[in-house]
Amino acid sequence: MTESSFDPLSFDDACARRFGEVAAALRASGRTNRARAFDALIAATAIAHNLPVFTGNPADFTDIPGLEVHEVAIPR
């Protein structure tokens, strides 16, 4: 599969609200959301659209409540 086979998800007001919650959760866990800003945007979008995140780096998405994370193997 390639990214051309996926429809893009909008980053709307629901995503923005979830981003605030994700950023607050990261701060509360002691993790800086600045270093993880893109991960936080991905997580917020997934939560707002009620979708899981599939990633080769599941540790990047720890301490984010309400996010379903699935690890996938990264081809080497």
Side-chain angles (χ1 to χ4, degrees), residues 15-73:
C15 294
R17 282 192 290 279
R18 297 297 86 76
F19 180 76
E21 294 168 2
V22 168
L26 292 174
R27 256 185 260 113
S29 72
R31 299 178 122 192
T32 60
N33 67 318
R34 179 173 294 198
R36 301 180 63 212
F38 292 118
D39 294 336
L41 286 170
I42 292 166
T45 304
I47 293 167
H49 290 278
N50 197 31
L51 294 169
V53 168
F54 291 83
T55 178
N57 299 306
D60 291 346
F61 296 94
T62 58
D63 300 320
I64 300 175
L67 181 64
E68 181 182 341
V69 179
H70 299 275
E71 183 173 9
V72 295

Side-chain angles (χ1 to χ4, degrees), residues 2-28:
T2 64
E3 65 184 75
S4 64
S5 62
F6 294 92
D7 291 327
L9 298 173
S10 62
F11 189 86
D12 55 15
D13 57 336
C15 294
R17 282 192 290 279
R18 297 297 86 76
F19 180 76
E21 294 168 2
V22 168
L26 292 174
R27 256 185 260 113

